[in-house]
């Protein structure tokens, strides 16, 4: 844990932690509107809106690669066709995805001047204040750290059904901090939770400065962003993790469990 007194990021002081904890205990997942103070959310959104150093990550239709971008195109123009050809195989039962990511650098090993408000958000999520908030919210003392990256889903981007289990990562909860200022359900990019009967049990439309939190494992997906979406879906996304062992520790254990 780090202590970041000078961080531009802070929680919205008006959150009702007791009420939120009750709601999380009832459902195993929770959507918290206005998680950060307004100026903190603005700062993070501003960084993600202006970001040009995204990489497209692809695991779709048998293709697996990560492609550095310059804006919305391949940095190496000779490889643009890789992006243009990337397609989910709709008949495959495997988890597939196409979306853009940007790493978030945590304090250690990185010079202060090279870090921006998105990096600071991940730092803040590992601060004493936020880890205590998560422990109280979930009633789970195993919470020790938060990992994360920025994500950008453009029209056509998608993440098909999965349960977030990853051997040895000790993931307790998945989270998404949506950072697009306005979004419409019609634009897709909705975070949906699938029930055992194959129907959609619940879904959340990306909402600016809202934190979505859900227990691992939970089967969920990000629906494809529509071709006509007028904006990109910007988020910080990752997992709340423990130093203790949680869930499967080897690939073999994970295969047997799920
Ligand atoms: O972006 C989201 O809403 C969820 C992303 C997700 O489920 C994941 O990255 O594992
Ligand atoms: Fe996920």
């Amino acid at each position: 844990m780090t202590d970041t007194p000078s961080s531009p990021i802070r929680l919205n002081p008006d959150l009702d932690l007791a009420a939120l904890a009750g709601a999380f205990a009832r459902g195993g997942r929770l959507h918290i509107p206005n998680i950060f103070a307004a100026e903190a959310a603005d700062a993070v959104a501003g960084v993600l809106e202006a970001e040009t150093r995204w990489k497209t990550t692809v695991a779709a239709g048998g293709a697996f690669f990560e492609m550095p971008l310059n804006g919305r195109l391949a940095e190496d123009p000779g490889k643009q066709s890789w992006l243009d050809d990337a397609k989910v195989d709709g008949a495959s039962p495997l988890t597939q995805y196409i979306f853009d990511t940007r790493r978030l650098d945590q304090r250690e090993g990185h010079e202060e001047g090279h870090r921006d408000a998105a990096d600071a958000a991940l730092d803040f999520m590992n601060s004493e204040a936020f880890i205590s908030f998560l422990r109280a919210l979930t009633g789970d003392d195993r919470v020790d750290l938060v990992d994360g990256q920025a994500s950008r889903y453009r029209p056509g981007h998608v993440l098909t059904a999965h349960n977030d289990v990853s051997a040895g990562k000790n993931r307790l909860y998945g989270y998404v901090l949506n950072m697009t200022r306005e979004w419409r359900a019609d634009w897709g990019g909705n975070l949906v939770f699938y029930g055992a009967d194959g129907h959609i049990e619940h879904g959340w439309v990306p909402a600016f400065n809202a934190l979505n939190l859900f227990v691992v494992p939970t089967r969920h997906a990000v629906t494809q962003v529509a071709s006509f979406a007028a904006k990109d879906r910007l988020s910080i996304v990752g997992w709340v993790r423990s130093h203790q062992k949680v869930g499967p520790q080897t690939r073999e254990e994970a295969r047997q469990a799920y």
Side-chain angles (χ1 to χ4, degrees):
M1 272 187 237
T2 51
D3 200 21
T4 55
S6 62
S7 172
I9 311 298
R10 60 188 191 98
L11 278 175
N12 170 1
D14 298 331
L15 296 173
D16 181 345
L17 182 52
L20 294 172
F24 186 78
R26 281 190 295 278
R29 57 178 168 249
L30 191 60
H31 172 84
I32 307 177
N34 301 314
I35 184 75
F36 289 161
E39 66 280 4
D42 269 347
V44 177
V47 165
L48 298 185
E49 286 159 359
E51 184 55 75
T52 57
R53 301 166 297 157
W54 298 95
K55 291 182 180 172
T56 304
T57 180
V58 174
F64 298 87
F65 62 86
E66 209 173 68
M67 179 77 67
L69 301 184
N70 181 3
R72 306 167 82 81
L73 294 174
E75 197 175 74
D76 173 355
K79 294 200 170 141
Q80 180 62 35
S81 63
W82 293 35
L83 293 176
D84 297 341
D85 294 345
K87 278 200 179 50
V88 166
D89 171 4
S92 167
L94 299 176
T95 301
Q96 297 173 79
Y97 51 81
I98 306 173
F99 58 90
D100 299 337
T101 67
R102 194 208 99 173
R103 59 167 295 176
L104 300 176
D105 291 327
Q106 284 201 255
R107 184 164 297 261
E108 234 166 278
H110 288 276
E111 289 173 42
E112 201 59 33
H114 294 283
R115 300 173 63 267
D116 57 29
D119 298 316
L122 184 61
D123 256 356
F124 173 75
M125 287 192 279
N126 282 282
S127 68
E128 201 82 53
F130 195 73
I131 295 291
S132 307
F133 171 79
L134 286 175
R135 287 183 177 165
L137 178 65
T138 58
D140 190 340
D141 286 340
R142 296 173 301 169
V143 170
D144 288 318
L145 70 149
V146 176
D147 68 16
Q149 59 179 351
S151 71
R152 179 177 75 169
Y153 286 68
R154 291 178 283 137
H157 286 186
V158 64
L159 167 56
T160 67
H162 64 285
N163 63 14
D164 281 348
V165 170
S166 183
K169 292 276 181 68
N170 306 320
R171 291 174 175 172
L172 295 164
Y173 308 101
Y175 77 88
V176 191
L177 182 57
N178 288 124
M179 279 292 152
T180 304
R181 293 180 203 268
E182 286 153 29
W183 193 262
R184 296 188 196 159
D186 281 348
W187 296 349
N190 299 305
L191 172 58
V192 294
F193 297 91
Y194 296 130
D197 60 2
H199 285 289
I200 294 170
E201 210 170 77
H202 204 102
W204 286 318
V205 176
F208 181 59
N209 192 25
L211 180 73
N212 297 327
L213 188 70
F214 47 95
V215 71
V216 176
T218 299
R219 197 164 163 76
H220 62 281
V222 179
T223 64
Q224 189 174 38
V225 173
S227 55
F228 54 84
K231 295 191 176 177
D232 298 330
R233 179 195 196 265
L234 302 171
S235 309
I236 290 178
V237 59
W239 291 276
V240 176
R241 291 165 47 189
S242 184
H243 292 315
Q244 301 175 38
K245 291 190 164 92
V246 177
Q249 296 296 303
T250 64
R251 278 167 168 255
E252 192 44 46
E253 274 175 38
R255 240 195 311 275
Q256 279 167 11
Y258 300 100

